[in-house]
Amino acid sequence: MKRRNSLLIVGALGFLFGATLPCTSTAQSTARPAAPAARLDHRELAADQQVIHVLNRLAFGARPGDVQKVRAMGVDKWIDQQLHPEQIDDQSLEQFLNHYNILREDQGQLLQEYAMAQRDRRQISRDAGDTAQGGGVSREDQMALQQVQLKRRQVAGALQSSRVARAVISNRQLDEVMTDFWLNHFNIFIQKGPPQAYYLAKYERDVIRPHSLGKFRDLLEAVAKSPAMLFYLDNARSMADSTRPRLANFDRRQRPAGRVFARRGAQRGQIGQMNPQQSQQIRQRLNQLQNGGLNENYGRELLELHTLGVDGGYTQQDVINVARALTGWTINQPAQGGGFIFRPMMHDAGEKTVLGHKLTAGRGIEDGEDVLDIVSRHPSTAHYISEKLVRHFVSDNPPQALVDQAAAVFTRTDGDIREVLRTIITSNEFFSQQAFRSKVKSPFEVVASAMRAMGAQADSTPRTAQVIAFLGQPIYGHQAPNGYPDTGDAWMNAGAILNRINFGMAVAANRIPGARINAVPGLDTLGSAPRAKQVDAVVALMLGGSASPDTRAVLMSGENPLLANGAASAAAMEMAAQPASEEMMPQQQTQPNARNAAQNRRPQQGQQGQQRPQGNPLAGRNGAPMPQLNGIAQVVGLALGSPEFQRH
């Protein structure tokens, strides 16, 4: 029976999406077109289509009234305004962000509190001994520990919730789109370990957002020195191999690493005279520094994913030397609040050669900074970053001529992201008929655009972020460093489409916080209007004024072909009731050269599986099934699940 239901669903998928979604290849993320695309000499899109296009690509969709505002301002003036977000008033968002007091707190102090609480818990457990004999943690201590754990969960929840809220109500929409782009490009997994939530709060606020439209070199260094990235890709514990000279050996005023620590221990009394706990900690630290080794994780991802790209012309020896150059780039202990620090005693002070550039022996942090100079200004980086931006904003198959043009601007402007982006989003390729509605929205984009189309208020609860996770894209939940895919084929499968359709119906049923159908201007007076008038209004307000004959037929009939058949409907509800399964998750893209050592490249410390939501956030109270919608609510729900809305 399950197999028969699946066949029914697949057949219906062909009717609903097969004829309208662009065909993409799983290899397209690395393949380059064989020949340059023909250059256009004018914008193919009509004026109203241009308005809809920029609101779908440079923003997370239109809110009620946005089309009229952009039309009155003019598309080019609106684009220029969005390229300078500092000039756009965003007080309503700033006021809403006051809900997230936890994110305004000193994250270093919160991390210290967490680390101290964990240390106290371990000490209490040791002191308690055998709990069966009456020892154990007191109720007061338990409550204090629970409060610290609760704060950590609040930080993580606020990070995810605020990402959605910003996308929904910020007036600086292009800035939000670019922040989302860079957070995915420099991906970090929130479940790497307990400190990561605190690190990520500062990472988004202080690293990505201030540099999203600035110089790529500045952004790259901010990422390289962020505790979030150093912790995630294990560079914080990468140090010179035991056979390599340490920087301390080049400075006669410093002792070798082991002696430095031995001397510090002696100031508090000889190691042998310490209590067993102190003695063990010192010995462990000495052993780590003397026998620790190089970790290539960040060095490899810096070249393959952050700058040059998998075909960027680097070698395994370059990976090793980049990793050597970045030894000593580490983090203070959590009990000291974290924070970037360069430790000379961990740094490989030998001579290195990176991409043909020689780094002389005996230097310190300059090694890593020179590496960032080299890779950020490499021609392969200009091409790789430009290609990713063109893929994101124009097409799953990036036009080669536009990629080359953007790469030339990247090189000429020393990696000025704003100018590269301006070149792309004012190009004829961007405004071509081929680009219009050619990209499939990610789950994040689907939910944010639906909330905006409904004129929804921002949601300060975890609910909307949970919906995004349920649809297959947990925020900060992608384990691998390559980030979520940016091509439609990765998101379009039977389970994902069915859940998107059910999401549309849940929005229309007022099950998403902040979104109320009777609050949408233009829909609130159509409750008793003829069906054709309801359909025309919804197409105008939510589908940019155009819908295919198939979509219009679905809206008129009230029957989605995926759900019209009883067996298919039962299968759809069965699939939609499951948490984000492997089928619903985007396919993990692998690079052709590198995954021989994939196990070694994954972040190692405290690693957990792909973050997944619990239960079905689309269900009503106590798991109530979806109500039978009719009238204008039914039309809206079907429209939000249509191909026209699922693409942008």
Side-chain angles (χ1 to χ4, degrees):
M1 177 60 73
K2 287 186 177 180
R3 177 174 176 79
R4 180 172 177 271
N5 290 346
S6 297
L7 291 174
L8 287 169
I9 292 170
V10 171
L13 288 178
F15 171 75
L16 186 59
F17 281 93
T20 52
L21 288 180
C23 295
T24 53
S25 166
T26 55
Q28 67 191 15
S29 60
T30 56
R32 298 181 184 177
R39 300 296 293 169
L40 304 174
D41 57 5
H42 68 285
R43 294 181 177 181
E44 293 181 343
L45 295 181
D48 281 351
Q49 286 182 318
Q50 291 182 34
V51 172
I52 295 164
H53 191 54
V54 297
L55 284 169
N56 279 333
R57 291 289 176 88
L58 312 185
F60 289 104
R63 290 178 70 86
D66 279 355
V67 170
Q68 292 78 7
K69 291 178 183 177
V70 176
R71 185 186 292 133
M73 178 183 292
V75 165
D76 291 297
K77 186 175 180 180
W78 184 83
I79 290 174
D80 187 68
Q81 182 187 65
Q82 288 292 319
L83 283 166
H84 296 89
E86 69 282 355
Q87 299 176 9
I88 302 174
D89 177 70
D90 220 5
Q91 287 186 2
S92 58
L93 172 65
E94 294 302 321
Q95 291 174 358
F96 180 83
L97 294 177
N98 290 332
H99 287 93
Y100 303 105
N101 292 326
I102 192 74
L103 295 182
R104 295 204 305 272
E105 293 189 36
D106 185 332
Q107 299 300 309
Q109 180 64 36
L110 292 178
L111 177 58
Q112 278 185 297
E113 292 175 6
Y114 176 84
M116 300 286 280
Q118 293 298 99
R119 185 196 64 185
D120 291 346
R121 179 186 61 80
R122 291 190 294 268
Q123 185 63 52
I124 291 169
S125 298
R126 282 192 294 267
D127 293 344
D130 186 0
T131 57
Q133 298 181 5
V137 181
S138 69
R139 180 176 176 80
E140 291 77 11
D141 287 332
Q142 285 180 338
M143 292 181 65
L145 291 169
Q146 289 172 358
Q147 281 296 110
V148 172
Q149 292 279 13
L150 177 61
K151 274 197 170 184
R152 185 173 67 84
R153 290 194 295 271
Q154 287 176 337
V155 170
L159 271 172
Q160 295 166 331
S161 172
S162 64
R163 278 276 301 280
V164 189
R166 286 176 177 274
V168 170
I169 67 171
S170 175
N171 294 324
R172 301 170 178 176
Q173 279 288 291
L174 182 56
D175 196 34
E176 290 303 317
V177 170
M178 287 303 297
T179 295
D180 186 64
F181 175 86
W182 291 122
L183 284 170
N184 196 55
H185 179 80
F186 297 108
N187 179 66
I188 289 175
F189 183 47
I190 197 169
Q191 291 193 49
K192 165 70 173 183
Q196 194 64 287
Y198 304 110
Y199 293 149
L200 271 172
K202 298 181 70 174
Y203 181 70
E204 179 181 328
R205 183 192 66 204
D206 301 335
V207 174
I208 300 298
R209 290 190 176 278
H211 298 96
S212 66
L213 289 168
K215 292 281 190 175
F216 181 75
R217 170 63 176 80
D218 296 336
L219 171 60
L220 192 66
E221 180 169 350
V223 170
K225 291 182 176 179
S226 66
M229 186 62 74
L230 293 170
F231 179 70
Y232 171 55
L233 290 179
D234 304 307
N235 204 81
R237 55 197 184 94
S238 178
M239 61 189 73
D241 289 331
S242 57
T243 59
R244 298 282 186 181
R246 303 283 178 93
L247 182 60
N249 296 336
F250 281 86
D251 189 343
R252 295 181 180 180
R253 294 170 297 178
Q254 295 187 21
R255 298 172 182 268
R259 294 183 186 178
V260 171
F261 271 82
R263 181 174 145 202
R264 289 177 183 170
Q267 292 174 352
R268 298 187 298 270
Q270 295 300 319
I271 290 179
Q273 298 172 347
M274 296 178 182
N275 66 49
Q277 180 186 348
Q278 291 175 314
S279 178
Q280 183 183 14
Q281 289 176 345
I282 291 294
R283 287 194 175 97
Q284 287 177 346
R285 185 63 172 150
L286 285 170
N287 184 64
Q288 180 188 21
L289 286 170
Q290 291 169 347
N291 301 317
L294 189 69
N295 189 299
E296 298 177 16
N297 282 356
Y298 180 51
R300 184 179 302 279
E301 308 308 355
L302 176 65
L303 295 177
E304 179 177 325
L305 297 178
H306 296 175
T307 57
L308 277 69
V310 66
D311 298 321
Y314 63 88
T315 67
Q316 174 59 21
Q317 201 58 40
D318 288 318
V319 171
I320 293 171
N321 283 329
V322 167
R324 290 176 58 209
L326 292 168
T327 49
W329 290 47
T330 186
I331 313 169
N332 274 319
Q333 293 296 314
Q336 298 172 318
F340 173 78
I341 186 172
F342 176 73
R343 296 193 186 279
M345 64 189 68
M346 297 172 66
H347 184 63
D348 184 331
E351 182 180 279
K352 311 164 189 74
T353 301
V354 174
L355 297 168
H357 297 262
K358 183 174 290 186
L359 308 178
T360 60
R363 304 194 315 160
I365 196 173
E366 301 91 343
D367 278 351
E369 290 172 340
D370 280 359
V371 164
L372 298 181
D373 285 339
I374 293 166
V375 299
S376 66
R377 296 178 175 120
H378 195 280
S380 293
T381 298
H383 183 277
Y384 178 65
I385 298 300
S386 297
E387 185 176 55
K388 285 198 72 171
L389 286 167
V390 173
R391 178 178 295 112
H392 186 77
F393 286 99
V394 179
S395 171
D396 285 2
N397 296 290
Q400 188 61 48
L402 181 58
V403 172
D404 291 343
Q405 183 182 2
V409 173
F410 187 103
T411 301
R412 186 176 70 250
T413 63
D414 195 24
D416 189 318
I417 299 167
R418 190 191 326 269
E419 293 311 310
V420 174
L421 187 57
R422 187 194 302 275
T423 298
I424 294 168
I425 64 179
T426 60
S427 68
N428 291 319
E429 289 91 337
F430 177 79
F431 287 107
S432 67
Q433 287 289 347
Q434 188 175 9
F436 188 64
R437 282 183 176 167
S438 66
K439 287 189 65 69
V440 175
K441 294 177 183 176
S442 70
F444 186 93
E445 292 166 337
V446 167
V447 174
S449 61
M451 297 282 283
R452 287 178 64 79
M454 297 290 289
Q457 300 174 359
D459 177 19
S460 61
T461 76
R463 181 74 180 277
T464 307
Q466 290 168 356
V467 171
I468 294 171
F470 179 77
L471 294 179
Q473 192 183 14
I475 299 171
Y476 292 120
H478 190 80
Q479 182 178 346
N482 59 345
Y484 287 111
D486 199 12
T487 54
D489 59 314
W491 299 112
M492 289 293 98
N493 55 63
I497 294 172
L498 287 167
N499 278 280
R500 287 174 180 228
I501 292 171
N502 277 281
F503 164 71
M505 304 305 284
V507 173
N510 294 333
R511 286 193 170 179
I512 306 300
R516 293 291 178 266
I517 194 167
N518 58 3
V520 181
L523 299 184
D524 49 350
T525 60
L526 294 174
S528 59
R531 184 75 172 199
K533 186 173 182 180
Q534 291 177 339
V535 169
D536 288 342
V538 170
V539 169
L541 289 172
M542 297 190 169
L543 302 183
S546 63
S548 70
D550 287 342
T551 294
R552 189 172 287 273
V554 167
L555 299 183
M556 286 296 297
S557 69
E559 293 185 356
N560 189 303
L562 282 173
L563 305 178
N565 180 281
S569 178
M573 294 307 294
E574 177 184 339
M575 298 175 76
Q578 301 299 319
S581 64
E582 290 294 342
E583 183 181 15
M584 290 165 53
M585 287 295 175
Q587 301 167 8
Q588 296 294 322
Q589 302 294 318
T590 57
Q591 306 290 356
N593 78 322
R595 306 307 181 187
N596 294 333
Q599 190 64 37
N600 294 330
R601 296 183 50 196
R602 292 174 183 161
Q604 300 163 4
Q605 184 177 332
Q607 177 170 294
Q608 302 177 38
Q610 181 100 11
Q611 182 185 2
R612 298 188 182 173
Q614 299 296 319
N616 182 355
L618 302 182
R621 291 181 179 274
N622 301 318
M626 195 75 67
Q628 181 64 43
L629 299 179
N630 50 54
I632 191 68
Q634 184 188 65
V635 178
V636 168
L638 292 169
L640 294 177
S642 70
E644 285 84 352
F645 192 82
Q646 296 296 316
R647 296 179 297 160
H648 65 146

